[in-house]
Amino acid sequence: VMKWLVKIVQDVSDLPLCIDSANSEALAAGLEVHKGRALINSISGENNRYQSVLPLVKQFKAGVVALCNDDKGLPSTKEIAIEVGSSLVARLINDGIPVDDIYLDPLVRTLATSPETVVDSLQVMKELSLEFPGLHFVSGLSNVSFGLPERRHLNRAFVVMSVANGLDAVITDPLDAQLIALMYAAEALMNKDRFCMNYIGAYNNGKLKV
């Protein structure tokens, strides 16, 4: 099924795919038929997961999403999260994975039940971006608003705050035009868009009309 899915999507898109599965055999199946370099979702500090996914990252020279957790589970404090994330990134680099191929996911939780962890995730990105220049950060954006009304407002606010703290990749609804426009604006304001060329390009392509 994974082979079929990768092929059918790449029939209509030239963009690289992010292949997501908890099953390393399914990941391998998708990577075998993927045209170009893919992104693997995901590896983590959990030893079994690390050992099963690392060979695939190396074999297919793929980028990899690194989840900020380990065999002890989700970090309970900001300090533990920074320690777990730092250890995982350092381990990947030591095992030969270029820092530019690593996308750390701080695993933001819902504001409704874990408000302190939302702020913590921003701090994790900020501190680890200083420790590992070139490291990427990715987030499943809708996690932050789960269980709350009018979720789009929280998602949009959080993506701007996240870009300001290092986020440069996101799992989100590409049809939310206002959110996409805010991402272009935030990157320009954070000097991540030299001379605002991406922002201007987005305007020329009609992506800033909301």
mmCIF file of all heavy atoms in Angstrom, residues 100-137:
data_model
loop_
_atom_site.group_PDB
_atom_site.id
_atom_site.type_symbol
_atom_site.label_atom_id
_atom_site.label_comp_id
_atom_site.label_asym_id
_atom_site.label_seq_id
_atom_site.Cartn_x
_atom_site.Cartn_y
_atom_site.Cartn_z
ATOM 1 N N ASP A 100 21.870 19.438 8.582
ATOM 2 C CA ASP A 100 20.910 20.036 7.665
ATOM 3 C C ASP A 100 19.816 19.055 7.239
ATOM 4 O O ASP A 100 18.792 19.453 6.687
ATOM 5 C CB ASP A 100 21.637 20.572 6.420
ATOM 6 C CG ASP A 100 20.717 21.408 5.543
ATOM 7 O OD1 ASP A 100 20.055 22.313 6.072
ATOM 8 O OD2 ASP A 100 20.654 21.146 4.327
ATOM 9 N N ASP A 101 20.027 17.759 7.516
ATOM 10 C CA ASP A 101 19.029 16.744 7.166
ATOM 11 C C ASP A 101 18.128 16.379 8.347
ATOM 12 O O ASP A 101 17.275 15.500 8.225
ATOM 13 C CB ASP A 101 19.719 15.471 6.662
ATOM 14 C CG ASP A 101 20.296 15.626 5.271
ATOM 15 O OD1 ASP A 101 19.934 16.598 4.581
ATOM 16 O OD2 ASP A 101 21.124 14.777 4.870
ATOM 17 N N ILE A 102 18.327 17.045 9.495
ATOM 18 C CA ILE A 102 17.584 16.704 10.708
ATOM 19 C C ILE A 102 16.515 17.758 10.989
ATOM 20 O O ILE A 102 16.796 18.951 11.007
ATOM 21 C CB ILE A 102 18.526 16.596 11.920
ATOM 22 C CG1 ILE A 102 19.641 15.568 11.639
ATOM 23 C CG2 ILE A 102 17.747 16.202 13.176
ATOM 24 C CD1 ILE A 102 20.740 15.572 12.686
ATOM 25 N N TYR A 103 15.286 17.301 11.203
ATOM 26 C CA TYR A 103 14.154 18.177 11.516
ATOM 27 C C TYR A 103 13.625 17.777 12.890
ATOM 28 O O TYR A 103 12.901 16.783 13.016
ATOM 29 C CB TYR A 103 13.053 18.032 10.460
ATOM 30 C CG TYR A 103 13.443 18.551 9.104
ATOM 31 C CD1 TYR A 103 14.302 17.829 8.274
ATOM 32 C CD2 TYR A 103 12.949 19.770 8.639
ATOM 33 C CE1 TYR A 103 14.680 18.320 7.030
ATOM 34 C CE2 TYR A 103 13.312 20.256 7.396
ATOM 35 C CZ TYR A 103 14.188 19.524 6.594
ATOM 36 O OH TYR A 103 14.548 20.009 5.364
ATOM 37 N N LEU A 104 14.005 18.529 13.914
ATOM 38 C CA LEU A 104 13.585 18.186 15.272
ATOM 39 C C LEU A 104 12.145 18.634 15.515
ATOM 40 O O LEU A 104 11.790 19.785 15.263
ATOM 41 C CB LEU A 104 14.503 18.846 16.300
ATOM 42 C CG LEU A 104 14.194 18.431 17.746
ATOM 43 C CD1 LEU A 104 14.725 17.032 18.011
ATOM 44 C CD2 LEU A 104 14.777 19.413 18.744
ATOM 45 N N ASP A 105 11.335 17.722 16.027
ATOM 46 C CA ASP A 105 9.955 18.025 16.395
ATOM 47 C C ASP A 105 9.877 18.079 17.919
ATOM 48 O O ASP A 105 10.041 17.058 18.592
ATOM 49 C CB ASP A 105 9.024 16.934 15.863
ATOM 50 C CG ASP A 105 7.553 17.247 16.086
ATOM 51 O OD1 ASP A 105 7.253 18.108 16.936
ATOM 52 O OD2 ASP A 105 6.707 16.619 15.419
ATOM 53 N N PRO A 106 9.636 19.282 18.496
ATOM 54 C CA PRO A 106 9.582 19.391 19.950
ATOM 55 C C PRO A 106 8.328 18.792 20.572
ATOM 56 O O PRO A 106 8.185 18.786 21.798
ATOM 57 C CB PRO A 106 9.641 20.905 20.183
ATOM 58 C CG PRO A 106 9.039 21.494 18.954
ATOM 59 C CD PRO A 106 9.444 20.582 17.820
ATOM 60 N N LEU A 107 7.434 18.282 19.735
ATOM 61 C CA LEU A 107 6.225 17.597 20.197
ATOM 62 C C LEU A 107 5.354 18.499 21.081
ATOM 63 O O LEU A 107 5.091 18.205 22.246
ATOM 64 C CB LEU A 107 6.590 16.303 20.955
ATOM 65 C CG LEU A 107 7.255 15.218 20.100
ATOM 66 C CD1 LEU A 107 7.687 14.037 20.966
ATOM 67 C CD2 LEU A 107 6.321 14.749 18.994
ATOM 68 N N VAL A 108 4.914 19.578 20.485
ATOM 69 C CA VAL A 108 4.017 20.483 21.202
ATOM 70 C C VAL A 108 2.711 19.761 21.530
ATOM 71 O O VAL A 108 2.210 18.963 20.744
ATOM 72 C CB VAL A 108 3.736 21.749 20.363
ATOM 73 C CG1 VAL A 108 3.020 21.417 19.066
ATOM 74 C CG2 VAL A 108 2.933 22.768 21.164
ATOM 75 N N ARG A 109 2.207 20.007 22.728
ATOM 76 C CA ARG A 109 0.960 19.409 23.169
ATOM 77 C C ARG A 109 -0.146 20.465 23.207
ATOM 78 O O ARG A 109 0.107 21.644 23.018
ATOM 79 C CB ARG A 109 1.164 18.763 24.539
ATOM 80 C CG ARG A 109 1.809 17.378 24.422
ATOM 81 C CD ARG A 109 2.463 16.940 25.717
ATOM 82 N NE ARG A 109 3.886 17.286 25.740
ATOM 83 C CZ ARG A 109 4.681 17.033 26.770
ATOM 84 N NH1 ARG A 109 4.199 16.461 27.858
ATOM 85 N NH2 ARG A 109 5.958 17.362 26.713
ATOM 86 N N THR A 110 -1.346 20.028 23.449
ATOM 87 C CA THR A 110 -2.479 20.941 23.357
ATOM 88 C C THR A 110 -2.482 21.978 24.478
ATOM 89 O O THR A 110 -2.238 21.663 25.645
ATOM 90 C CB THR A 110 -3.814 20.189 23.350
ATOM 91 O OG1 THR A 110 -4.884 21.136 23.358
ATOM 92 C CG2 THR A 110 -3.954 19.265 24.547
ATOM 93 N N LEU A 111 -2.778 23.184 24.087
ATOM 94 C CA LEU A 111 -2.883 24.292 25.027
ATOM 95 C C LEU A 111 -3.962 24.042 26.074
ATOM 96 O O LEU A 111 -3.851 24.490 27.218
ATOM 97 C CB LEU A 111 -3.194 25.574 24.243
ATOM 98 C CG LEU A 111 -3.349 26.877 25.009
ATOM 99 C CD1 LEU A 111 -2.039 27.279 25.662
ATOM 100 C CD2 LEU A 111 -3.827 27.985 24.068
ATOM 101 N N ALA A 112 -4.995 23.298 25.711
ATOM 102 C CA ALA A 112 -6.130 23.084 26.601
ATOM 103 C C ALA A 112 -5.745 22.328 27.865
ATOM 104 O O ALA A 112 -6.296 22.583 28.940
ATOM 105 C CB ALA A 112 -7.237 22.324 25.862
ATOM 106 N N THR A 113 -4.804 21.408 27.761
ATOM 107 C CA THR A 113 -4.454 20.571 28.917
ATOM 108 C C THR A 113 -3.016 20.737 29.375
ATOM 109 O O THR A 113 -2.692 20.386 30.509
ATOM 110 C CB THR A 113 -4.698 19.085 28.597
ATOM 111 O OG1 THR A 113 -3.914 18.712 27.448
ATOM 112 C CG2 THR A 113 -6.171 18.822 28.314
ATOM 113 N N SER A 114 -2.137 21.245 28.511
ATOM 114 C CA SER A 114 -0.716 21.377 28.869
ATOM 115 C C SER A 114 -0.185 22.742 28.449
ATOM 116 O O SER A 114 0.726 22.831 27.612
ATOM 117 C CB SER A 114 0.098 20.262 28.197
ATOM 118 O OG SER A 114 -0.398 18.989 28.519
ATOM 119 N N PRO A 115 -0.748 23.821 29.002
ATOM 120 C CA PRO A 115 -0.363 25.160 28.528
ATOM 121 C C PRO A 115 1.110 25.465 28.702
ATOM 122 O O PRO A 115 1.701 26.146 27.864
ATOM 123 C CB PRO A 115 -1.236 26.092 29.382
ATOM 124 C CG PRO A 115 -1.637 25.278 30.568
ATOM 125 C CD PRO A 115 -1.751 23.875 30.074
ATOM 126 N N GLU A 116 1.723 24.955 29.777
ATOM 127 C CA GLU A 116 3.138 25.259 30.002
ATOM 128 C C GLU A 116 4.042 24.613 28.955
ATOM 129 O O GLU A 116 5.091 25.149 28.613
ATOM 130 C CB GLU A 116 3.567 24.803 31.414
ATOM 131 C CG GLU A 116 3.584 23.299 31.639
ATOM 132 C CD GLU A 116 2.205 22.668 31.783
ATOM 133 O OE1 GLU A 116 1.225 23.400 31.997
ATOM 134 O OE2 GLU A 116 2.112 21.425 31.680
ATOM 135 N N THR A 117 3.622 23.472 28.390
ATOM 136 C CA THR A 117 4.476 22.794 27.418
ATOM 137 C C THR A 117 4.516 23.530 26.079
ATOM 138 O O THR A 117 5.445 23.331 25.298
ATOM 139 C CB THR A 117 4.019 21.335 27.187
ATOM 140 O OG1 THR A 117 2.723 21.328 26.572
ATOM 141 C CG2 THR A 117 3.979 20.565 28.495
ATOM 142 N N VAL A 118 3.508 24.366 25.803
ATOM 143 C CA VAL A 118 3.527 25.143 24.565
ATOM 144 C C VAL A 118 4.667 26.151 24.606
ATOM 145 O O VAL A 118 5.464 26.264 23.669
ATOM 146 C CB VAL A 118 2.177 25.858 24.348
ATOM 147 C CG1 VAL A 118 2.244 26.739 23.108
ATOM 148 C CG2 VAL A 118 1.047 24.840 24.226
ATOM 149 N N VAL A 119 4.775 26.872 25.709
ATOM 150 C CA VAL A 119 5.881 27.812 25.879
ATOM 151 C C VAL A 119 7.214 27.063 25.913
ATOM 152 O O VAL A 119 8.205 27.509 25.335
ATOM 153 C CB VAL A 119 5.697 28.637 27.173
ATOM 154 C CG1 VAL A 119 6.883 29.563 27.394
ATOM 155 C CG2 VAL A 119 4.410 29.447 27.109
ATOM 156 N N ASP A 120 7.227 25.902 26.565
ATOM 157 C CA ASP A 120 8.457 25.101 26.642
ATOM 158 C C ASP A 120 8.947 24.701 25.260
ATOM 159 O O ASP A 120 10.146 24.713 24.983
ATOM 160 C CB ASP A 120 8.222 23.842 27.482
ATOM 161 C CG ASP A 120 8.086 24.133 28.969
ATOM 162 O OD1 ASP A 120 8.354 25.282 29.375
ATOM 163 O OD2 ASP A 120 7.703 23.214 29.713
ATOM 164 N N SER A 121 8.018 24.327 24.369
ATOM 165 C CA SER A 121 8.422 23.894 23.026
ATOM 166 C C SER A 121 9.091 25.024 22.255
ATOM 167 O O SER A 121 10.025 24.795 21.480
ATOM 168 C CB SER A 121 7.220 23.352 22.247
ATOM 169 O OG SER A 121 6.309 24.381 21.922
ATOM 170 N N LEU A 122 8.632 26.251 22.468
ATOM 171 C CA LEU A 122 9.271 27.406 21.830
ATOM 172 C C LEU A 122 10.695 27.576 22.351
ATOM 173 O O LEU A 122 11.625 27.857 21.587
ATOM 174 C CB LEU A 122 8.455 28.674 22.097
ATOM 175 C CG LEU A 122 7.029 28.700 21.543
ATOM 176 C CD1 LEU A 122 6.307 29.956 22.028
ATOM 177 C CD2 LEU A 122 7.027 28.631 20.018
ATOM 178 N N GLN A 123 10.870 27.383 23.643
ATOM 179 C CA GLN A 123 12.192 27.524 24.244
ATOM 180 C C GLN A 123 13.129 26.418 23.786
ATOM 181 O O GLN A 123 14.324 26.649 23.586
ATOM 182 C CB GLN A 123 12.076 27.516 25.766
ATOM 183 C CG GLN A 123 13.318 27.998 26.491
ATOM 184 C CD GLN A 123 13.628 29.463 26.208
ATOM 185 O OE1 GLN A 123 12.722 30.256 25.983
ATOM 186 N NE2 GLN A 123 14.895 29.828 26.201
ATOM 187 N N VAL A 124 12.590 25.216 23.616
ATOM 188 C CA VAL A 124 13.403 24.102 23.103
ATOM 189 C C VAL A 124 13.970 24.454 21.734
ATOM 190 O O VAL A 124 15.159 24.271 21.466
ATOM 191 C CB VAL A 124 12.566 22.806 23.021
ATOM 192 C CG1 VAL A 124 13.311 21.732 22.220
ATOM 193 C CG2 VAL A 124 12.255 22.291 24.417
ATOM 194 N N MET A 125 13.120 24.974 20.854
ATOM 195 C CA MET A 125 13.588 25.352 19.518
ATOM 196 C C MET A 125 14.632 26.455 19.594
ATOM 197 O O MET A 125 15.661 26.405 18.907
ATOM 198 C CB MET A 125 12.400 25.781 18.646
ATOM 199 C CG MET A 125 11.486 24.639 18.264
ATOM 200 S SD MET A 125 10.226 25.080 17.029
ATOM 201 C CE MET A 125 9.141 26.124 18.006
ATOM 202 N N LYS A 126 14.380 27.446 20.417
ATOM 203 C CA LYS A 126 15.298 28.578 20.524
ATOM 204 C C LYS A 126 16.670 28.137 21.013
ATOM 205 O O LYS A 126 17.710 28.509 20.436
ATOM 206 C CB LYS A 126 14.712 29.627 21.470
ATOM 207 C CG LYS A 126 15.552 30.890 21.587
ATOM 208 C CD LYS A 126 14.853 31.924 22.459
ATOM 209 C CE LYS A 126 15.662 33.216 22.544
ATOM 210 N NZ LYS A 126 14.951 34.240 23.363
ATOM 211 N N GLU A 127 16.712 27.318 22.061
ATOM 212 C CA GLU A 127 17.995 26.927 22.645
ATOM 213 C C GLU A 127 18.748 25.935 21.763
ATOM 214 O O GLU A 127 19.964 26.039 21.604
ATOM 215 C CB GLU A 127 17.765 26.356 24.042
ATOM 216 C CG GLU A 127 17.237 27.401 25.023
ATOM 217 C CD GLU A 127 17.495 27.047 26.469
ATOM 218 O OE1 GLU A 127 18.359 26.185 26.743
ATOM 219 O OE2 GLU A 127 16.830 27.650 27.337
ATOM 220 N N LEU A 128 18.037 24.982 21.170
ATOM 221 C CA LEU A 128 18.731 23.991 20.341
ATOM 222 C C LEU A 128 19.173 24.576 19.002
ATOM 223 O O LEU A 128 20.136 24.098 18.406
ATOM 224 C CB LEU A 128 17.848 22.763 20.135
ATOM 225 C CG LEU A 128 17.600 21.927 21.394
ATOM 226 C CD1 LEU A 128 16.815 20.671 21.054
ATOM 227 C CD2 LEU A 128 18.893 21.557 22.092
ATOM 228 N N SER A 129 18.503 25.619 18.525
ATOM 229 C CA SER A 129 18.963 26.277 17.299
ATOM 230 C C SER A 129 20.301 26.969 17.533
ATOM 231 O O SER A 129 21.122 27.087 16.611
ATOM 232 C CB SER A 129 17.920 27.288 16.799
ATOM 233 O OG SER A 129 17.766 28.361 17.709
ATOM 234 N N LEU A 130 20.529 27.416 18.767
ATOM 235 C CA LEU A 130 21.821 28.024 19.109
ATOM 236 C C LEU A 130 22.891 26.953 19.292
ATOM 237 O O LEU A 130 24.051 27.147 18.932
ATOM 238 C CB LEU A 130 21.688 28.851 20.392
ATOM 239 C CG LEU A 130 20.771 30.073 20.306
ATOM 240 C CD1 LEU A 130 20.613 30.722 21.675
ATOM 241 C CD2 LEU A 130 21.317 31.086 19.301
ATOM 242 N N GLU A 131 22.495 25.809 19.851
ATOM 243 C CA GLU A 131 23.453 24.727 20.086
ATOM 244 C C GLU A 131 23.863 24.030 18.799
ATOM 245 O O GLU A 131 25.022 23.618 18.644
ATOM 246 C CB GLU A 131 22.856 23.701 21.051
ATOM 247 C CG GLU A 131 23.822 22.578 21.412
ATOM 248 C CD GLU A 131 23.234 21.596 22.415
ATOM 249 O OE1 GLU A 131 22.111 21.829 22.911
ATOM 250 O OE2 GLU A 131 23.912 20.578 22.710
ATOM 251 N N PHE A 132 22.931 23.913 17.861
ATOM 252 C CA PHE A 132 23.192 23.193 16.608
ATOM 253 C C PHE A 132 22.823 24.088 15.416
ATOM 254 O O PHE A 132 21.728 23.960 14.855
ATOM 255 C CB PHE A 132 22.381 21.898 16.541
ATOM 256 C CG PHE A 132 22.672 20.918 17.639
ATOM 257 C CD1 PHE A 132 21.813 20.814 18.735
ATOM 258 C CD2 PHE A 132 23.787 20.095 17.579
ATOM 259 C CE1 PHE A 132 22.061 19.908 19.749
ATOM 260 C CE2 PHE A 132 24.049 19.181 18.585
ATOM 261 C CZ PHE A 132 23.198 19.083 19.676
ATOM 262 N N PRO A 133 23.695 25.002 15.017
ATOM 263 C CA PRO A 133 23.404 25.845 13.857
ATOM 264 C C PRO A 133 23.110 24.993 12.617
ATOM 265 O O PRO A 133 23.826 24.036 12.335
ATOM 266 C CB PRO A 133 24.701 26.646 13.683
ATOM 267 C CG PRO A 133 25.332 26.657 15.040
ATOM 268 C CD PRO A 133 25.002 25.323 15.636
ATOM 269 N N GLY A 134 22.043 25.342 11.915
ATOM 270 C CA GLY A 134 21.663 24.572 10.729
ATOM 271 C C GLY A 134 20.608 23.526 10.997
ATOM 272 O O GLY A 134 20.038 22.962 10.052
ATOM 273 N N LEU A 135 20.323 23.235 12.280
ATOM 274 C CA LEU A 135 19.278 22.279 12.622
ATOM 275 C C LEU A 135 17.919 22.846 12.225
ATOM 276 O O LEU A 135 17.643 24.025 12.437
ATOM 277 C CB LEU A 135 19.307 22.008 14.130
ATOM 278 C CG LEU A 135 18.223 21.087 14.704
ATOM 279 C CD1 LEU A 135 18.361 19.678 14.155
ATOM 280 C CD2 LEU A 135 18.299 21.077 16.235
ATOM 281 N N HIS A 136 17.066 21.995 11.662
ATOM 282 C CA HIS A 136 15.706 22.404 11.297
ATOM 283 C C HIS A 136 14.731 22.030 12.408
ATOM 284 O O HIS A 136 14.994 21.131 13.209
ATOM 285 C CB HIS A 136 15.270 21.732 9.995
ATOM 286 C CG HIS A 136 16.112 22.093 8.820
ATOM 287 N ND1 HIS A 136 16.027 23.323 8.195
ATOM 288 C CD2 HIS A 136 17.054 21.392 8.149
ATOM 289 C CE1 HIS A 136 16.893 23.357 7.190
ATOM 290 N NE2 HIS A 136 17.525 22.207 7.147
ATOM 291 N N PHE A 137 13.593 22.706 12.412
ATOM 292 C CA PHE A 137 12.546 22.403 13.384
ATOM 293 C C PHE A 137 11.213 22.274 12.656
ATOM 294 O O PHE A 137 10.901 23.066 11.774
ATOM 295 C CB PHE A 137 12.457 23.500 14.444
ATOM 296 C CG PHE A 137 13.689 23.589 15.302
ATOM 297 C CD1 PHE A 137 14.723 24.446 14.953
ATOM 298 C CD2 PHE A 137 13.833 22.791 16.424
ATOM 299 C CE1 PHE A 137 15.873 24.518 15.717
ATOM 300 C CE2 PHE A 137 14.984 22.856 17.192
ATOM 301 C CZ PHE A 137 16.004 23.722 16.845
#
